[in-house]
Amino acid sequence: MKRLLTALAALAFVAGSVLPALAGMLDDIRSRGTVRIGVSLGGEPIGFRDPQNNPVGYDVDVATLLAEKLGVPVEFTDVSGDARISMLVSGQLDIVVANTSATLERAKSVNFTIPYNRAGLRVIVQADSGIKTLADLAGKKIVVGRGTTGETFIKKAAPEAELVYVDQFAPDGVLQLQQKRVDAAIEDSSLLDYLATKNPSLVTIDGLYSNDPIGIAVAKGDPEFVRWLDMFVSDYIQSGAYEANYKKWWGETANPPSLNPLW
């Protein structure tokens, strides 16, 4: 009997220590009363700041809607490059909605939802630069975001290009392009296509060098939270909010990339 009571006491202790962990991120967020979301404010129209310094953009709208569905206010943190992943892993953020390509390498560290957007890598150049192909980038200065899929790609595709690193594509990379301090930049097509429409001196060269799923990222260890977020994205797509949000930022004539809901 004594052994049985000891075993039951041990079981109760283990259950007591495990059950709070099993409660998961949804309960943590609701108990705290806020959700900490990382967004990248590095370029229009994905994420930037308005004249009043407020975060705005496509991703900011997605994150705001997500917070509304969670039923709590949102606390934004501007993140980019490697910081998007490291701040999730360290527990400084609950969620990242920051134009993050869902790659196999990143999936070793964090979990991704189904895509809430899609984008490909594209190169933008000075209209009078004479650059037509990736081969023409040899010896040229090209802006690239540190820790991005663009950096990985361009190192292999144009090894003789001179990389000019920025932590934020906007305003830093955009300013260098506009001042002709660099010859080109590589970034997501969603950013560069928009930039080219606003700057007649800049043009994108032919070719889309990837077709990346853009997912919401969260720390590993909470599959139920990922499932809830997948349902959120599915509703975002099927409700018409995705198409409306895309056209809000890229224009009424824009054709949103095709996305498939899971639920």
Side-chain angles (χ1 to χ4, degrees):
M1 177 64 70
K2 184 176 180 180
R3 289 183 177 177
L4 177 60
L5 291 174
T6 301
L8 289 173
L11 181 60
F13 174 79
V14 171
S17 61
V18 171
L19 285 177
L22 292 178
M25 185 59 73
L26 280 171
D27 283 345
D28 289 347
I29 290 170
R30 288 166 180 158
S31 297
R32 190 192 314 128
T34 59
V35 58
R36 303 169 301 173
I37 302 182
V39 292
S40 179
L41 304 179
E44 300 180 40
I46 293 294
F48 57 106
R49 292 187 182 276
D50 67 13
Q52 290 73 45
N53 207 38
N54 298 309
V56 291
Y58 175 84
D59 274 359
V60 176
D61 284 351
V62 175
T64 300
L65 179 61
L66 174 53
E68 290 175 0
K69 296 295 184 182
L70 286 167
V72 295
V74 60
E75 178 184 318
F76 286 122
T77 298
D78 184 10
V79 295
S80 61
D82 293 335
R84 293 174 293 186
I85 305 303
S86 62
M87 291 184 73
L88 266 182
V89 173
S90 64
Q92 298 176 69
L93 296 172
D94 303 319
I95 303 169
V96 163
V97 186
N99 199 36
T100 310
S101 299
T103 66
L104 286 173
E105 185 61 31
R106 285 174 176 158
K108 294 176 183 177
S109 304
V110 297
N111 285 332
F112 286 98
T113 65
I114 62 173
Y116 70 95
N117 198 6
R118 296 193 76 91
L121 291 173
R122 197 186 292 282
V123 172
I124 194 167
V125 301
Q126 302 292 345
D128 58 359
S129 67
I131 298 172
K132 302 294 183 184
T133 67
L134 292 176
D136 296 332
L137 290 172
K140 304 293 187 180
K141 292 183 178 180
I142 180 167
V143 163
V144 62
R146 195 181 306 276
T148 62
T149 52
E151 177 190 12
T152 302
F153 172 81
I154 207 66
K155 281 183 174 179
K156 295 178 180 178
E160 296 181 6
E162 180 183 343
L163 304 188
V164 178
Y165 287 98
V166 292
D167 292 322
Q168 293 279 15
F169 180 66
D172 301 335
V174 173
L175 185 61
Q176 293 199 46
L177 280 166
Q178 291 173 334
Q179 294 179 346
K180 294 195 172 185
R181 291 156 57 192
V182 295
D183 305 292
I186 185 166
E187 252 294 351
D188 286 345
S189 57
S190 54
L191 296 174
L192 297 190
D193 289 345
Y194 182 84
L195 180 61
T197 65
K198 302 295 183 181
N199 295 267
S201 63
L202 301 172
V203 296
T204 56
I205 66 175
D206 291 339
L208 197 63
Y209 304 112
S210 64
N211 185 9
D212 300 326
I214 308 299
I216 296 172
V218 294
K220 286 186 175 295
D222 195 341
E224 289 301 319
F225 189 40
V226 179
R227 184 185 183 198
W228 187 90
L229 289 169
D230 277 338
M231 294 180 72
F232 164 78
V233 177
S234 293
D235 182 69
Y236 172 66
I237 297 168
Q238 294 188 92
S239 67
Y242 164 57
E243 182 175 358
N245 192 24
Y246 196 93
K247 290 188 174 185
K248 170 185 175 181
W249 293 105
W250 279 274
E252 284 299 320
T253 60
N255 294 312
S258 179
L259 298 179
N260 296 316
L262 181 64
W263 295 86

